[in-house]
Amino acid sequence: MDKTTKTVLQGVCAAAVVIAVLILIFQSFYTIKEQEQAVVTTFGVPHAVSEPGLHVKIPFVQQVTKVNTTIKGFAIGYDETTNISREDESLMITSDYNFVNVDFYVEYKVSDPIKALYASEQPVSILKNIAQSCIRSVVGRTTVDSVITTGKGEIQAEIKERIIAELTAQDIGIQLINITIQDAEPPTTEVMEAFKAVETAKQGKETAINNANKYRNEKLPGAEAQIDRILKEAEAKKEARINEAEGQAARFNALYEEYIKYPLITKQRMYYETMEELLPDLKLIIDSGDSSVEKFLPLEPLTGNTVINAVTE
């Protein structure tokens, strides 16, 4: 081997050594970003590394798999890219045997990177199947009116609770963050219009109730004041009638006591008092019977009053 060839071979060997060293250097370091974890496998045994920054590994002995731990999501019932409904996922039947289209959005993240990589082959698909099962179970026990209008919050809460319980039992390293109803509507235009009419009627009912309560609150104080006034007037009349009756009773008792003592005098006095009350303008002329006096009866044209001639024996 000549000198030139030997020099070339030495240069190639040196370059190979440099390349090998560089490869070893590059293979010995790896970087973990924020919201990221790594699973380092040594002879088939994995362990997680969660601290961000530069880390060292043994080249060709340890394998590193990086796992994104940010919150991700997927849609159920519609296509995220085109926003087109997928009735095979969204169409469901409710407890009152009505059909409804319901769209959901599921948010999740990796909670255990080792289990997310090795506990199952496709953890996200498992999560989606669990979510669809829980959704259909809850919607199937709910009325269509609640699904479309008033019960969305309760439905979401119950579905989330069920999914979390299933994920805990499966233990696949995936954590549910949230699940929300994006849209809920009847499958046909006619049914949709009917539900809109029902919702409008409900709002009209609430408005009527509020107006009635307002009217009641406006009129009630005045009515209560009027009731109080009427009661007070009635109480005053009651007291007046009682006092009058008690006065008349006391007067009668006093007259009766006088009557017991002097019956004849009392009778005459009561007679004259009664006549004075009944005939206040009546004049009484008592004739002594003297024949020397010429009498003209009646004397009404002269006196202008009614005259009664009484003759005493």
Side-chain angles (χ1 to χ4, degrees), residues 227-267:
I227 291 172
D228 185 61
R229 179 178 58 80
I230 293 173
L231 290 175
K232 288 181 179 179
E233 290 178 356
E235 189 68 24
K237 290 181 179 180
K238 169 186 172 183
E239 294 295 330
R241 292 288 180 86
I242 291 174
N243 294 335
E244 182 181 357
E246 289 177 350
Q248 290 180 356
R251 180 172 175 273
F252 176 80
N253 291 331
L255 291 175
Y256 182 71
E257 290 177 359
E258 292 297 325
Y259 176 78
I260 294 297
K261 295 177 182 179
Y262 311 102
L264 180 60
I265 296 175
T266 303
K267 284 181 180 180

Side-chain angles (χ1 to χ4, degrees), residues 110-136:
V110 174
S111 59
D112 189 325
I114 295 177
K115 292 179 180 178
L117 289 175
Y118 301 109
S120 61
E121 187 173 348
Q122 294 181 332
V124 178
S125 296
I126 294 174
L127 172 60
K128 186 172 184 178
N129 291 334
I130 291 173
Q132 287 180 307
S133 175
C134 295
I135 288 170
R136 292 189 179 278

Side-chain angles (χ1 to χ4, degrees), residues 194-242:
F195 276 103
K196 288 181 180 179
V198 171
E199 187 64 21
T200 302
K202 286 184 178 180
Q203 294 176 358
K205 171 187 173 184
E206 294 296 327
T207 302
I209 291 174
N210 293 334
N211 291 337
N213 290 332
K214 179 182 178 182
Y215 181 80
R216 181 192 64 182
N217 294 333
E218 291 176 351
K219 297 299 181 181
L220 189 59
E224 290 177 346
Q226 186 177 4
I227 291 172
D228 185 61
R229 179 178 58 80
I230 293 173
L231 290 175
K232 288 181 179 179
E233 290 178 356
E235 189 68 24
K237 290 181 179 180
K238 169 186 172 183
E239 294 295 330
R241 292 288 180 86
I242 291 174

Side-chain angles (χ1 to χ4, degrees), residues 23-279:
I23 291 174
L24 288 175
I25 291 174
F26 283 116
Q27 289 290 325
S28 299
F29 298 95
Y30 64 95
T31 303
I32 299 178
K33 300 177 181 179
E34 292 288 345
Q35 299 295 329
E36 190 177 57
Q37 294 188 26
V39 176
V40 180
T41 305
T42 307
F43 299 112
V45 179
H47 70 277
V49 179
S50 59
E51 295 181 1
L54 185 64
H55 296 268
V56 180
K57 70 181 181 69
I58 302 173
F60 308 109
V61 175
Q62 292 180 322
Q63 301 295 325
V64 178
T65 304
K66 296 179 182 180
V67 178
N68 190 343
T69 58
T70 58
I71 297 176
K72 298 180 180 180
F74 57 84
I76 296 178
Y78 67 98
D79 191 321
E80 287 185 80
T81 57
T82 62
N83 205 30
I84 297 175
S85 178
R86 300 178 58 180
E87 289 197 352
D88 58 326
E89 294 179 353
S90 65
L91 187 61
M92 305 177 198
I93 187 169
T94 60
S95 62
D96 49 357
Y97 304 105
N98 285 296
F99 287 97
V100 63
N101 282 325
V102 191
D103 299 335
F104 289 84
Y105 191 79
V106 180
E107 295 177 287
Y108 71 94
K109 73 174 184 176
V110 174
S111 59
D112 189 325
I114 295 177
K115 292 179 180 178
L117 289 175
Y118 301 109
S120 61
E121 187 173 348
Q122 294 181 332
V124 178
S125 296
I126 294 174
L127 172 60
K128 186 172 184 178
N129 291 334
I130 291 173
Q132 287 180 307
S133 175
C134 295
I135 288 170
R136 292 189 179 278
S137 177
V138 174
V139 173
R141 295 188 300 100
T142 310
T143 62
V144 67
D145 186 57
S146 297
V147 175
I148 293 178
T149 57
T150 59
K152 292 182 179 180
E154 292 79 1
I155 293 171
Q156 291 175 171
E158 185 175 353
I159 291 173
K160 182 177 181 180
E161 184 179 350
R162 284 171 170 259
I163 294 175
I164 291 174
E166 287 290 333
L167 287 177
T168 302
Q170 295 287 341
D171 196 19
I172 57 176
I174 298 292
Q175 176 187 355
L176 177 69
I177 302 300
N178 197 19
I179 180 168
T180 55
I181 296 178
Q182 299 297 305
D183 193 15
E185 60 184 13
T188 62
T189 304
E190 292 79 7
V191 177
M192 188 184 303
E193 292 299 326
F195 276 103
K196 288 181 180 179
V198 171
E199 187 64 21
T200 302
K202 286 184 178 180
Q203 294 176 358
K205 171 187 173 184
E206 294 296 327
T207 302
I209 291 174
N210 293 334
N211 291 337
N213 290 332
K214 179 182 178 182
Y215 181 80
R216 181 192 64 182
N217 294 333
E218 291 176 351
K219 297 299 181 181
L220 189 59
E224 290 177 346
Q226 186 177 4
I227 291 172
D228 185 61
R229 179 178 58 80
I230 293 173
L231 290 175
K232 288 181 179 179
E233 290 178 356
E235 189 68 24
K237 290 181 179 180
K238 169 186 172 183
E239 294 295 330
R241 292 288 180 86
I242 291 174
N243 294 335
E244 182 181 357
E246 289 177 350
Q248 290 180 356
R251 180 172 175 273
F252 176 80
N253 291 331
L255 291 175
Y256 182 71
E257 290 177 359
E258 292 297 325
Y259 176 78
I260 294 297
K261 295 177 182 179
Y262 311 102
L264 180 60
I265 296 175
T266 303
K267 284 181 180 180
Q268 291 177 348
R269 182 170 64 82
M270 290 179 65
Y271 173 77
Y272 291 132
E273 289 177 354
T274 303
M275 293 301 295
E276 288 178 357
E277 292 178 0
L278 295 177
L279 303 172

